[in-house]
């Protein structure tokens, strides 16, 4: 369930931030980014902090794939790492799912302390019965997030939007989560949060098919159609209006509809406007790569006019839509660290031990196999 946002956690850390690199934003203006290129540059900086060099070996070991050793040849995987990770995962998941009550709700509305305690008990029980037990994907969401936590030190669950009809979070791969390089471990310490997502071309079209609904949700038709236009070489010859009609009528080919488009969703803690004391968060969606927007690279289409937001290159922009970063994401961690990009997971800690176990077990089995061989000495081949 969504948590109530915590207020004033960072002691107005945002108010001490410097303006955007292009100099068009000032403290008190309320928005930190007015074009996609500046946000894309911050995303590239965050990507440089991510170190996933050891993740492939962990996944290979968890999937029980054999590994190659120079002296020993092919070493079979006996599943030691998978057993340890799954055992720890079962412990965490059972604790999260099987407990009788997920939250204790206290109230002081009663006539006396005894009456308030009784009401608190009833409210807590009703919350669990009518909210938590109706969360159908509770088990799979917790399991996926806990497995990421054990394998890669942290797991993540995210909410679509504060105004979404679904109040339950969904598990998101921790590999697609990128806070800014100076972020701490938890959402209250995030200044910018990047989430890598992928849409098919037809999914992108559905975002802007209804212009009224897309405008309310922050999606921009012209920028989205530009993305569709450059997603397939067969569409570059068409105008934006013709592409919109082509997808709307269903005449787009299968390859055009299924083309994958990588985007980045960015949650940004904005500068407080004049007179504001609370932090607010805006949501932006930009292309993950420098795709031409309106005939220009997004890095060359910087806008300096205050009212020229439609040429900024954002696919979607929902300004000041959240009160706190904690309304967007929740982080599970198997340890503590000073930075989001630090820390060693449980799987990393047992990886070397499990590899050694596989090697020793392989040698033991090889020795047993050698002892079972029967060598018969013969003088000539004809004796057989």
């Amino acid at each position: 369930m969504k948590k109530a946002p915590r207020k004033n956690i960072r002691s107005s850390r945002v108010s001490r931030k410097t303006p955007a690199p292009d100099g068009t934003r000032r403290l008190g203006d309320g928005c930190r980014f007015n074009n996609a290129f500046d946000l894309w540059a911050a995303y590239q900086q965050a990507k440089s902090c991510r170190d996933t060099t050891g993740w492939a070996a962990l996944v290979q070991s968890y999937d029980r794939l054999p590994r190659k050793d120079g002296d020993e040849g092919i070493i079979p995987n006996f599943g030691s790492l998978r057993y340890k990770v799954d055992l720890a995962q079962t412990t965490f998941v059972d604790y999260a799912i099987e407990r009788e009550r997920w939250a204790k709700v206290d109230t002081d509305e009663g006539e006396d302390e005894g009456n308030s305690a009784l009401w608190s008990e009833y409210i807590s029980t009703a919350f669990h019965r009518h909210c938590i037990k109706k969360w159908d994907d509770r088990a799979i969401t917790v399991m996926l997030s806990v497995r990421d936590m054990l394998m890669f030190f942290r797991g993540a669950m995210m909410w679509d939007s504060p105004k979404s009809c679904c109040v339950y979070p969904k598990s998101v791969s921790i590999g697609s989560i990128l806070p800014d390089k100076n972020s701490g471990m938890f959402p209250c310490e995030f200044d910018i949060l990047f989430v890598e997502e992928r849409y098919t071309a037809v999914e992108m079209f559905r975002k802007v098919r209804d212009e009224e609904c897309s405008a309310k949700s922050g999606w921009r038709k012209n920028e989205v159609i530009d993305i569709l236009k450059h997603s397939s070489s067969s569409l570059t010859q068409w105008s934006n209006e013709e592409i919109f009609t082509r997808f709307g009528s269903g005449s787009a080919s299968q390859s055009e509809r299924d083309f994958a488009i990588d985007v980045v969703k960015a949650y940004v803690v904005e500068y407080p406007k004049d007179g504001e004391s609370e932090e607010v968060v805006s949501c932006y969606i930009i292309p993950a790569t420098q795709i031409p927007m309106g005939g220009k690279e997004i890095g060359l289409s910087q806008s300096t006019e205050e009212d020229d937001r439609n040429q900024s290159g954002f696919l979607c922009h929902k300004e000041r839509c959240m009160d706190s970063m904690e309304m967007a994401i929740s982080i599970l961690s198997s340890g503590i660290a000073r930075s989001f990009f630090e820390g060693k997971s449980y799987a990393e800690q047992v990886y070397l031990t499990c590899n050694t176990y596989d090697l020793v077990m392989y040698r033991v089995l090889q020795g047993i196999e050698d002892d079972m061989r029967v060598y018969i000495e013969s003088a000539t081949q004809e004796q057989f």
Side-chain angles (χ1 to χ4, degrees):
M1 295 295 293
K2 292 188 180 180
K3 306 184 294 294
R6 287 185 283 174
K7 302 295 184 180
N8 295 325
I9 295 175
R10 289 179 283 185
S11 302
S12 300
R13 181 164 68 95
V14 174
S15 63
R16 302 193 297 270
K17 287 283 183 178
T18 56
D22 63 355
T24 59
R25 301 286 96 188
R26 302 182 308 276
L27 294 179
D29 283 347
C31 291
R32 295 173 58 187
F33 295 95
N34 74 328
N35 63 77
F37 179 75
D38 292 333
L39 195 55
W40 184 81
Y43 164 63
Q44 296 301 317
Q45 194 174 45
K47 281 180 65 176
S48 66
C49 300
R50 178 170 58 187
D51 183 14
T52 60
T53 52
W55 288 15
L58 292 176
V59 173
Q60 181 179 0
S61 182
Y62 182 82
D63 291 340
R64 298 194 62 176
L65 298 177
R67 61 187 178 89
K68 188 174 182 180
D69 188 283
D71 298 328
E72 302 290 340
I74 303 298
I75 307 297
N77 189 321
F78 294 96
S80 177
L81 181 99
R82 188 183 188 103
Y83 169 77
K84 291 184 177 182
V85 170
D86 286 352
L87 184 63
Q89 177 181 342
T90 301
T91 303
F92 279 105
V93 173
D94 285 350
Y95 174 76
I97 294 179
E98 301 301 330
R99 53 184 171 176
E100 297 181 357
R101 184 179 299 168
W102 276 48
K104 181 181 179 181
V105 182
D106 291 324
T107 179
D108 55 1
E109 295 296 327
E111 298 176 356
D112 51 45
E113 291 186 4
N115 194 257
S116 296
L118 183 62
W119 285 11
S120 298
E121 183 74 17
Y122 289 159
I123 294 172
S124 300
T125 303
F127 173 80
H128 188 85
R129 179 185 302 136
H130 298 292
C131 297
I132 299 302
K133 285 192 173 182
K134 290 187 177 181
W135 180 9
D136 295 332
D137 298 331
R138 179 174 81 254
I140 188 65
T141 299
V142 174
M143 289 175 67
L144 290 172
S145 300
V146 167
R147 188 176 66 181
D148 276 357
M149 179 189 73
L150 294 171
M151 292 287 290
F152 313 119
F153 189 64
R154 57 186 62 81
M157 289 186 285
M158 295 196 68
W159 289 267
D160 287 334
S161 168
K163 299 179 181 180
S164 173
C165 60
C166 180
V167 298
Y168 300 112
K170 61 180 180 180
S171 178
V172 179
S173 171
I174 196 62
S176 64
I177 302 297
L178 281 169
D180 60 291
K181 66 175 185 178
N182 297 318
S183 291
M185 275 195 62
F186 298 107
C188 62
E189 301 172 305
F190 294 172
D191 199 33
I192 305 176
L193 172 66
F194 298 101
V195 183
E196 297 171 333
E197 296 183 344
R198 173 170 289 182
Y199 295 99
T200 63
V202 70
E203 286 174 334
M204 290 289 289
F205 168 75
R206 288 171 183 162
K207 300 292 184 182
V208 297
R209 179 170 51 188
D210 188 319
E211 294 192 36
E212 183 178 353
C213 292
S214 63
K216 290 181 180 179
S217 58
W219 285 91
R220 295 176 172 176
K221 177 181 175 181
N222 291 337
E223 279 79 356
V224 170
I225 297 301
D226 268 340
I227 286 288
L228 296 178
K229 185 174 184 177
H230 293 89
S231 64
S232 174
S233 58
S234 62
L235 294 176
T236 55
Q237 58 183 329
W238 303 90
S239 67
N240 286 6
E241 291 75 14
E242 290 172 330
I243 292 175
F244 189 84
T245 303
R246 185 177 177 85
F247 275 88
S249 63
S251 58
S253 66
Q254 188 68 34
S255 60
E256 292 170 349
R257 294 196 300 268
D258 293 342
F259 188 87
I261 300 172
D262 292 320
V263 300
V264 178
K265 181 181 290 186
Y267 297 92
V268 179
V269 178
E270 298 285 16
Y271 295 133
K273 288 184 177 180
D274 293 335
E276 286 185 342
S277 60
E278 303 292 348
E279 298 175 0
V280 291
V281 178
S282 293
C283 179
Y284 304 81
I285 296 180
I286 61 173
T289 56
Q290 286 185 291
I291 299 175
M293 303 287 289
K296 300 180 180 180
E297 295 286 335
I298 61 174
L300 303 178
S301 59
Q302 301 183 29
S303 171
T304 58
E305 294 295 331
E306 190 68 24
D307 59 350
D308 195 17
R309 300 298 298 247
N310 289 331
Q311 301 301 322
S312 57
F314 298 123
L315 301 176
C316 179
H317 177 211
K318 290 181 281 187
E319 186 174 340
R320 314 175 84 80
C321 60
M322 297 180 182
D323 296 330
S324 166
M325 197 71 78
E326 293 171 303
M327 297 182 70
I329 187 170
S330 177
I331 297 293
L332 286 70
S333 177
S334 58
I336 57 174
R338 296 186 182 276
S339 169
F340 183 88
F341 298 99
E342 296 177 359
K344 180 173 286 189
S345 70
Y346 173 75
E348 290 176 294
Q349 295 176 32
V350 301
Y351 176 74
L352 183 60
T353 303
C354 295
N355 274 0
T356 303
Y357 172 85
D358 289 341
L359 180 59
V360 171
M361 182 60 67
Y362 172 71
R363 288 175 176 174
V364 169
L365 293 178
Q366 286 290 98
I368 294 175
E369 183 180 354
D370 290 341
D371 289 343
M372 293 177 64
R373 288 195 180 101
V374 178
Y375 296 94
I376 301 178
E377 183 178 357
S378 61
T380 63
Q381 183 177 1
E382 286 73 13
Q383 291 181 1
F384 295 96

